[in-house]
Amino acid sequence: MKREINPFDYAGEIFKAMPRGILLTSEAEDCVNAMTIGWGTLGIEWGVPIFAAYIRTSRFTYELIERTGEFTICAPYGELSKEAAKAIGICGSKSGRDVDKLAKAGVHLVEADIVRPPAIKELPLTLECRVVFSQEQPIKDINSKFKKFYPETGEHSAPHVAYYGEILRAYIIED
């Protein structure tokens, strides 16, 4: 069962969970992927509720979102369960190009109502989002205070794309 919510009533839960990680799911051509994110913004833009997610161009998730323009945000609600913590750890340390992270984590996928990427039962606070705007963040334009996030070489040297996803549906998955 899904209990519909106003995402802004649960913004505190989302922001409280973000430093330890929440999951962003994506799907294209029957490939479901999730990645752990620790950066995101919840707000209103163009008069609609938005979740902005920041994904490096080197990530598999970037490829999937570019294909479909959709994602779900899955956050814990209440205490972080062992299963949710395991999923956050696996999805933050493995690439979906190499392994089915969600199968390895043993989580239960829940079909989304509007978008393709599924929700995750173990991280029940869910936002279904469709990209309404995206923009690459040129590293050269980022304040020097944040250059530590962009080393000269390696997987973390790629820029982020800011994906502004209109929140089409928000709910908590309940047993």
Side-chain angles (χ1 to χ4, degrees), residues 13 27 29 43 54 88 115 144 161 164:
E13 293 285 331
E27 179 180 3
E29 291 85 42
Y54 308 95
I88 289 167
V115 298
S144 62
V161 171
Y164 292 74

Side-chain angles (χ1 to χ4, degrees), residues 2-172:
K2 299 173 185 173
R3 178 170 47 93
E4 193 151 355
I5 61 168
N6 178 331
F8 299 109
D9 291 343
Y10 294 84
E13 293 285 331
I14 294 168
F15 290 127
K16 184 174 89 176
M18 212 170 304
R20 65 182 178 235
I22 62 176
L23 295 184
L24 180 149
T25 63
S26 54
E27 179 180 3
E29 291 85 42
D30 297 323
C31 175
V32 177
N33 187 56
M35 75 175 287
T36 301
I37 62 171
W39 300 355
T41 304
L42 181 64
I44 297 174
E45 194 149 347
W46 307 294
V48 298
I50 295 284
F51 187 92
Y54 308 95
I55 311 297
R56 287 189 196 274
T57 58
S58 58
R59 301 287 187 225
F60 185 52
T61 296
Y62 165 79
E63 295 174 26
L64 297 179
I65 292 175
E66 284 293 306
R67 288 186 213 156
T68 65
E70 298 177 338
F71 61 90
T72 55
I73 296 299
C74 304
Y77 179 63
E79 289 297 313
L80 184 67
S81 69
K82 288 181 184 180
E83 297 83 9
K86 178 181 176 184
I88 289 167
I90 289 170
C91 293
S93 63
K94 308 285 183 203
S95 172
R97 286 186 189 101
D98 305 325
V99 66
D100 182 341
K101 296 184 280 187
L102 295 168
K104 186 174 177 113
V107 296
H108 300 89
L109 302 180
V110 176
E111 187 174 341
D113 294 327
I114 298 173
V115 298
R116 284 180 60 158
I120 299 173
K121 181 180 178 184
E122 290 77 8
L123 293 113
L125 202 166
T126 305
L127 309 177
E128 295 187 20
C129 302
R130 182 166 295 132
V131 176
V132 292
F133 179 75
S134 65
Q135 183 171 28
E136 186 172 314
Q137 299 176 320
I139 295 171
K140 67 177 183 54
D141 295 339
I142 295 173
N143 185 295
S144 62
K145 172 179 169 181
F146 303 111
K147 296 290 185 184
K148 66 183 177 186
F149 294 107
Y150 302 94
E152 296 280 328
T153 60
E155 68 175 319
H156 296 295
S157 64
H160 285 90
V161 171
Y163 288 103
Y164 292 74
E166 178 180 359
I167 301 169
L168 303 173
R169 183 125 196 268
Y171 50 85
I172 295 173

